């Protein structure tokens, strides 16, 4: 995992902050959520794992302390599980959407749906194969936090958000520029 | 002609800067080739067989003389003095250097041009009718909608990494000149009984290895809500289009797998959420946006003239023409001059298909500069690029046709073969393209040389012949009356023939007639096919009608009979194509 993430709140500036969330892949299922001996108390669990485990007592306890969020795989059909997501909104401090490879754009639509359809107000974090050149697109569809792939240069990253001063379609973050507004 | 406002210009300038940074990171090694690839593709930069190739967008096919001169300048300064106009209203340069591409893009930006999304798995350059705004059969000028959707799709964040490329075509005329049904989405513009502009949406068309005609999935979408409807459509595709297999990733496969009704239902469901008026009406195009864009597509200052038909025209110019010229000019009037909405004007197609001397769609920088001058002199400084890889001067006074013909003749642009057998659509094929299995340009050349007799070609009438160097179908062979497809078998180049394809309102996908042929057999095969048509046609029956009446059998028999006589042994090998 990356020790730092880029936080870019909707009405703020992009900054590097410490990463508090460990992304768990859901493997080694028997033991449940992994032991957090490294000081990471907060875990993003796979959404499919949440669906089957969210009624367990220890999961509820951890979740109620704000230590559990979920991440959506690129092929999760989040609209099929709208009821679980609606219930989860009260529990999860953070949700993630995963890029299995940078050129798989499904999670852009996931983020857009989370913001638009579910009216999710909390953090949506891009995880997985997240590269510098996806940041701008991610920021516009609904992501406000990015855990870059470890080889990416963090110093180059924040500049990516300043490349364009105009946009030609509406998105979560901005309205398209028109002559009236420009 | 659309003019950039400061929003468009700022966006394009900033895009150049972004790409310059990406190229720098690639060159200094901080950006890996694998990760650079989709970025450069979204800026039209391919790596081809011999060099980088840059594809520049000509949105809905419209160019100014100034822009064409810049394209010529780029060809001279950064390439080898020519450019290749494509079937999708782009121009390609085949020999550019990676290091110089940001400079080329900066040159383009100076004349309101770019290469944004001319490739890559995103919404591609939107194509339309080359005769938009002037065609006699037009009921709606599609260009304001084209431009609004061009803006909407430019650097769209949600659809930057779709399962595959995504192509829009937009038509507003009675006759479809956009191959609407072979696009991922075809938008047919209409006016409803109240006189309001609406759109019928076709989805899931395409060529490639699985050619499918698009299905009508939604009727009467008000133009204002196209952003939300198309967002819904693309969102369904982005989420559920296949990503496990490159060849099954296009939207046509999704539409086919679900069925058009189910696909339409899913889009409708998504749209119902998006198009919740109280929440998202801000996505709608506004009248103010329409006005801002449409004011640039007004009619030029036409004179008040009287219409003249071609016969009268030919008669009028007779005195100025010698006997040879008379025939050539009359043929040119017949094939290359099209009716216009405004009395006394015509649209002229400049043929980029000289017989056997240049690749279809190629123009030299000298020709481009000369064509720019012609457009200034005869057509309000504007021109268009057609799907068939020719150029159009759209607004020529009929009285000037002879002067134009003489001037264009100097540049070898007046071959009267528009819509005839030698007006071949061809991709660059194996001479340039790294995807190609076989060459297409030498095949086009050989056919043009075989059928060089213009009297004969005119007698044959309209026949479309399209050649692709591989199954990706950039040469649109599926919709040619005669299609030629290059295939590779055991490292050898073979050519498969399809018959019965058609573009336009009665679009159809051609059928493979049988085992493929060697390159050197193709001219003979064409002769056999054409002779069969000549023998079988009744009166003025066009080739496609004869084919539809008789079916494939007589054509197939003729093609193989003659080829087999010559090449028995080879065909036993080719029989598994």
């Amino acid at each position: 995992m990356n020790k730092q993430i880029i936080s870019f709140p909707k009405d703020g500036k992009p900054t590097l902050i410490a990463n508090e969330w460990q992304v768990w892949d859901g493997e080694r299922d028997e033991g449940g959520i992994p032991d957090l001996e490294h000081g990471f108390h907060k875990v993003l669990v796979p959404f499919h794992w949440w669906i089957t485990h969210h009624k367990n007592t220890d999961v509820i306890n951890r979740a109620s302390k704000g230590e559990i969020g979920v991440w959506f795989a690129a092929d999760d059909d989040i609209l099929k599980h709208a009821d679980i997501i609606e219930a989860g909104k009260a529990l999860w401090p953070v949700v993630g959407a995963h890029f299995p490879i940078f050129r798989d754009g499904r999670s852009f639509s996931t983020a857009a749906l989370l913001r638009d359809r579910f009216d999710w107000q909390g953090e949506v974090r891009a995880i997985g194969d997240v590269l510098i050149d996806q940041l701008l697109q991610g920021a516009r569809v609904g992501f406000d936090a990015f855990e870059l792939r470890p080889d990416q240069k963090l110093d180059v990253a924040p500049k990516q958000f300043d490349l364009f001063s105009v946009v030609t379609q509406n998105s979560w973050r901005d309205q398209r520029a028109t002559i009236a507004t420009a | 002609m659309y003019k950039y406002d400061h929003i468009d210009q700022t966006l394009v300038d900033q895009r150049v800067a972004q790409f310059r940074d990406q190229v720098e990171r690639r060159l200094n090694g901080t950006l890996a080739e694998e990760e650079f690839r989709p970025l450069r593709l979204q800026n039209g930069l391919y790596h081809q067989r011999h060099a980088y190739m840059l594809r520049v967008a000509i949105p809905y096919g419209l160019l100014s003389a100034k822009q064409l001169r810049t394209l010529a300048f780029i060809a001279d300064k950064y390439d080898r003095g020519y450019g290749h106009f494509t079937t999708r209203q782009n121009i390609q340069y085949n020999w550019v250097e990676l290091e110089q591409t940001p400079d080329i893009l900066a040159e383009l930006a100076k004349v309101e041009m770019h290469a944004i999304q001319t490739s890559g798995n995103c919404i591609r350059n939107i194509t339309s009718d080359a005769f938009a705004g002037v065609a006699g059969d037009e009921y709606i000028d599609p260009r304001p909608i084209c431009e609004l959707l061009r803006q909407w799709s430019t650097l769209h964040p949600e659809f930057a990494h779709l399962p595959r490329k995504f192509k829009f075509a937009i038509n507003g005329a009675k006759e479809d000149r956009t191959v609407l049904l072979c696009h991922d989405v075809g938008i047919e513009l209409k006016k409803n009984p109240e006189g309001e502009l609406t759109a019928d949406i076709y989805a899931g068309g395409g060529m490639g290895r699985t050619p499918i005609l698009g299905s009508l999935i939604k009727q009467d979408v008000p133009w204002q809500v196209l952003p939300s409807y198309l967002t819904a459509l693309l969102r369904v595709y982005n989420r559920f289009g296949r990503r496990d297999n490159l060849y099954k990733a296009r939207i046509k496969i999704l539409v086919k797998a679900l069925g058009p009704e189910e696909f339409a239902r899913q889009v409708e469901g998504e749209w119902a959420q998006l198009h919740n008026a109280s929440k998202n009406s801000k996505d709608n195009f506004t009248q103010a946006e329409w006005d801002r864009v449409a004011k640039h597509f007004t009619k030029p200052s036409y004179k008040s003239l009287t219409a003249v038909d071609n016969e009268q025209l030919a008669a009028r110019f007779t005195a100025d023409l010698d006997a040879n010229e008379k025939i050539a000019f009359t043929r040119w009037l017949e094939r290359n001059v099209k009716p216009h909405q405004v009395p006394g004007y015509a649209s002229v197609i400049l043929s980029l298909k000289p017989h056997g001397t240049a690749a279809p769609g190629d123009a030299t920088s000298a020709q481009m500069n000369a064509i720019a001058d012609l457009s200034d002199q005869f057509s309000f400084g504007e021109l268009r690029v057609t799907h068939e890889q020719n150029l159009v001067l759209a607004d020529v006074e009929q009285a000037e046709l002879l002067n134009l013909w003489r001037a264009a003749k100097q540049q070898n642009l007046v071959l009267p073969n528009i819509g005839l057998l030698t007006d071949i659509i061809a991709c660059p094929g194996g001479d340039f393209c790294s995807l190609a299995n076989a060459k297409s340009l030498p095949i086009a050349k050989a056919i043009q040389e075989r059928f060089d007799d213009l009297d004969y070609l005119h007698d044959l009438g309209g026949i479309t012949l399209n050649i692709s160097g591989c199954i990706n179908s950039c040469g649109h062979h599926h919709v040619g009356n005669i299609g030629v497809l290059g295939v590779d078998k055991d490292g050898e180049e073979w050519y498969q023939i399809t018959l019965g394809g058609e573009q336009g309102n009665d679009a159809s996908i051609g059928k493979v007639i049988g085992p493929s042929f060697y390159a050197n057999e193709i001219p003979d095969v064409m002769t056999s096919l054409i002779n069969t048509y000549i023998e079988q046609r009744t009166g003025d029956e066009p080739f496609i009608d004869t084919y539809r009446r008789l079916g494939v059998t007589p054509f197939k028999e003729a093609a193989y009979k003659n080829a087999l006589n010559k090449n028995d042994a080879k065909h036993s090998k080719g029989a598994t194509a």
Side-chain angles (χ1 to χ4, degrees):
Chain A
M1 67 178 288
N2 213 317
K3 285 182 182 164
Q4 287 187 301
I5 60 156
I6 302 164
S7 169
F8 184 16
K10 188 171 182 178
D11 298 312
K13 288 195 176 310
T15 49
L16 294 175
I17 62 168
N19 182 10
E20 297 185 324
W21 289 86
Q22 180 170 217
V23 178
W24 178 48
D25 64 7
E27 298 299 317
R28 289 167 279 118
D29 192 24
E30 300 80 7
I33 305 173
D35 181 30
L36 303 171
E37 69 244 38
H38 303 299
F40 292 103
H41 299 289
K42 299 177 177 178
V43 181
L44 289 175
V45 303
F47 182 59
H48 67 83
W49 187 91
W50 175 269
I51 292 172
T52 52
H53 293 83
H54 71 282
K55 290 182 178 155
N56 297 357
T57 312
D58 62 327
V59 173
I60 294 168
N61 286 341
R62 292 279 298 274
S64 64
K65 287 191 266 179
E67 294 179 354
I68 296 181
V70 300
W71 62 271
F72 300 101
D75 59 358
D76 281 338
D77 184 355
I78 62 172
L79 298 179
K80 262 195 181 153
H81 302 287
D83 50 338
I84 295 176
I85 294 174
E86 286 296 340
K89 279 161 68 175
L91 289 168
W92 308 318
V94 169
V95 295
H98 182 249
F99 290 84
I101 187 159
F102 63 95
R103 57 178 181 272
D104 183 335
R106 282 177 287 186
S107 287
F108 291 136
S109 286
T110 301
L113 284 169
L114 286 167
R115 296 299 187 190
D116 197 51
R117 187 80 72 93
F118 292 99
D119 200 24
W120 170 259
Q121 300 292 322
E123 179 181 310
V124 182
R125 180 178 297 201
I127 61 171
D129 204 35
V130 181
L131 310 184
I132 286 165
D133 294 286
Q134 287 153 270
L135 292 174
L136 191 53
Q137 289 142 357
R140 294 192 61 215
V141 295
F143 290 104
D144 54 358
F146 304 87
E147 182 179 346
L148 284 166
R149 201 174 73 187
D151 67 337
Q152 298 292 292
K153 294 202 179 306
L154 282 171
D155 56 325
V156 181
K159 285 195 293 189
Q160 298 299 312
F161 300 110
D162 299 328
L163 293 175
F164 291 94
S165 58
V166 293
V167 292
T168 51
Q169 58 293 114
N170 293 349
S171 69
W172 175 67
R173 205 170 282 265
D174 32 40
Q175 299 289 296
R176 62 186 179 269
T178 63
I179 293 296
T181 61
Chain B
M1 180 95 198
Y2 184 68
K3 297 295 292 176
Y4 278 9
D5 55 38
H6 71 271
I7 299 167
D8 302 300
Q9 192 65 51
T10 303
L11 186 102
V12 169
D13 290 342
Q14 291 175 341
R15 176 63 170 152
V16 174
Q18 180 189 34
F19 192 63
R20 196 179 288 283
D21 172 64
Q22 289 169 343
V23 169
E24 271 171 30
R25 282 190 279 133
R26 174 73 201 105
L27 292 171
N28 72 23
T30 54
L31 184 57
E33 175 57 24
E34 189 208 349
E35 292 153 10
F36 178 56
R37 188 170 174 274
L39 304 178
R40 65 169 161 75
L41 288 175
Q42 294 201 5
N43 235 326
L45 188 64
Y46 283 75
H47 194 253
Q48 290 289 35
R49 197 169 285 261
H50 308 292
Y52 281 99
M53 182 272 275
L54 182 69
R55 181 182 293 153
V56 175
I58 302 171
Y60 35 91
L62 203 52
L63 271 177
S64 70
K66 187 181 176 188
Q67 289 173 327
L68 186 57
R69 287 191 186 98
T70 295
L71 295 178
F73 168 78
I74 290 169
D76 279 335
K77 181 166 179 186
Y78 299 98
D79 206 89
R80 295 189 180 176
Y82 73 100
H84 174 75
F85 290 97
T86 78
T87 57
R88 284 192 37 81
Q89 300 179 316
N90 300 300
I91 183 171
Q92 294 176 178
Y93 296 105
N94 281 313
W95 305 97
V96 301
E97 303 283 347
L98 173 62
E99 292 82 345
Q100 293 188 318
T101 49
D103 294 337
I104 301 174
L105 296 173
E107 296 284 1
L108 291 169
K110 284 186 207 163
V111 292
E112 304 175 9
M113 295 189 81
H114 60 76
I116 298 169
Q117 293 174 197
T118 53
S119 178
N121 295 334
C122 51
I123 302 170
R124 299 289 191 88
N125 181 36
I126 292 170
T127 59
S128 189
D129 183 359
F131 297 90
V134 297
D137 67 339
E138 179 174 271
Y139 37 80
I140 290 156
D141 183 347
R143 294 172 302 174
I145 288 295
C146 290
E147 176 54 31
L148 286 170
L149 288 176
R150 180 192 75 85
Q151 295 178 12
W152 168 79
S153 64
T154 297
L155 305 184
H156 197 300
E158 188 177 339
F159 308 124
H161 293 288
L162 293 167
R164 281 281 273 142
K165 56 188 167 183
F166 202 91
K167 299 174 177 180
F168 280 100
I170 303 178
N171 187 45
K174 193 173 161 195
E175 184 190 340
D176 170 34
R177 285 174 288 266
T178 68
V179 209
L180 195 83
L181 295 183
C182 286
H183 283 76
D184 297 286
V185 165
I187 299 178
E188 180 85 28
L189 298 176
K190 299 250 165 87
K191 282 220 167 123
N192 69 14
E194 290 73 44
E196 296 153 341
L197 179 61
T198 63
D200 289 352
I201 311 288
Y202 294 82
M207 290 187 247
R209 70 186 57 214
T210 315
I212 300 176
L213 298 178
S215 304
L216 180 63
I217 60 155
K218 179 79 178 171
Q219 286 184 286
D220 306 324
V221 181
W223 68 272
Q224 297 92 334
V225 302
L226 282 170
S228 56
Y229 187 80
L230 296 174
T231 296
L233 185 152
L234 274 146
R235 187 172 284 170
V236 170
Y237 170 56
N238 192 33
R239 297 181 70 219
F240 301 114
R242 285 181 62 172
R243 290 175 186 262
D244 59 323
N245 181 340
L246 187 69
Y247 305 118
K248 296 188 184 299
R250 296 287 291 272
I251 193 175
K252 63 190 172 187
I253 303 295
L254 178 66
V255 173
K256 192 180 173 197
L258 293 173
E261 298 78 14
E262 172 58 17
F263 176 76
R265 195 192 63 76
Q266 291 192 16
V267 173
E268 198 70 22
E270 185 62 38
W271 190 47
Q273 295 290 329
L274 275 173
H275 184 51
N276 177 336
S278 62
K279 193 168 143 196
N280 276 318
S281 61
K282 63 186 187 301
D283 285 344
N284 294 352
F285 286 142
T286 64
Q287 188 62 44
E289 287 173 294
W290 172 282
D291 293 343
R292 170 174 66 86
V293 165
K295 72 178 180 212
H296 299 296
F297 298 110
T298 50
K299 306 290 183 196
S301 48
Y302 294 120
K303 295 176 190 165
S304 183
L305 302 169
T306 311
V308 188
D309 68 30
N310 277 2
E311 267 177 43
Q312 289 171 303
L313 269 175
R316 177 193 289 186
F317 292 128
T318 297
D320 297 328
L321 294 164
D322 66 34
N324 279 341
E325 282 184 325
K326 208 180 293 175
I327 296 170
F329 181 71
T330 307
R331 281 199 192 115
W332 183 75
L333 284 180
E334 190 186 320
R335 297 305 318 186
N336 298 33
V337 177
K338 301 292 173 188
H340 197 285
Q341 291 173 357
V342 178
Y345 284 85
S347 295
V348 172
I349 304 173
L350 300 173
S351 172
L352 295 182
K353 316 290 179 65
H355 283 171
T357 56
D362 275 11
T364 65
S365 56
Q367 282 179 317
M368 286 189 241
N369 280 320
I371 294 166
D373 292 346
L374 292 177
S375 77
D376 274 337
Q377 195 181 343
F378 294 104
S379 193
F380 300 97
E382 285 183 16
L383 52 139
R384 287 92 179 300
V385 183
T386 73
H387 154 65
E388 292 86 357
Q389 302 173 286
N390 293 308
L391 296 176
V392 171
L393 298 177
D395 297 295
V396 180
E397 281 180 47
Q398 287 180 304
E400 291 290 335
L401 285 169
L402 180 58
N403 290 334
L404 169 59
W405 179 73
R406 286 203 161 123
K409 200 174 170 201
Q410 304 295 318
Q411 297 296 328
N412 198 22
L413 295 165
V414 293
L415 195 71
N417 65 343
I418 301 304
L420 302 179
L421 187 68
T422 59
D423 187 12
I424 296 171
I425 292 177
C427 69
D431 289 297
F432 296 99
C433 180
S434 50
L435 299 174
N437 292 320
K439 293 188 172 67
S440 46
L441 301 181
I443 301 296
K445 185 169 185 276
I447 295 169
Q448 285 175 332
E449 284 170 349
R450 169 67 61 93
F451 294 93
D452 190 35
D453 181 344
L454 283 164
D455 283 336
Y456 186 62
L457 286 174
H458 277 252
D459 176 53
L460 293 178
I463 303 179
T464 56
L465 197 168
N466 300 354
I467 306 173
S468 299
C470 79
I471 194 65
N472 290 304
S473 315
C474 294
H476 294 184
H477 65 278
H478 294 298
V479 293
N481 298 164
I482 303 173
V484 181
L485 166 66
V487 291
D488 172 83
K489 282 190 299 203
D490 305 328
E492 283 188 294
E493 295 184 0
W494 292 75
Y495 295 87
Q496 198 176 61
I497 304 294
T498 55
L499 290 179
E502 174 81 329
Q503 61 187 64
N505 299 34
D506 205 10
S508 57
I509 303 286
K511 291 199 167 49
V512 179
I513 65 167
S516 43
F517 300 93
Y518 269 136
N520 62 11
E521 297 173 298
I522 293 295
D524 287 344
V525 170
M526 290 301 148
T527 300
S528 303
L529 295 173
I530 295 301
N531 286 346
T532 306
Y533 161 59
I534 298 275
E535 288 157 17
Q536 301 288 342
R537 73 176 170 184
T538 57
D540 290 335
E541 190 179 44
F543 178 89
I544 186 68
D545 290 356
T546 306
Y547 172 82
R548 284 174 174 165
R549 179 167 56 78
L550 296 175
V552 72
T553 308
F555 294 95
K556 180 176 174 170
E557 281 173 358
Y560 288 100
K561 186 179 166 204
N562 294 335
L564 281 170
N565 287 345
K566 275 177 64 181
N567 262 323
D568 247 349
K570 274 191 264 177
H571 279 279
S572 58
K573 188 178 174 191
T576 54

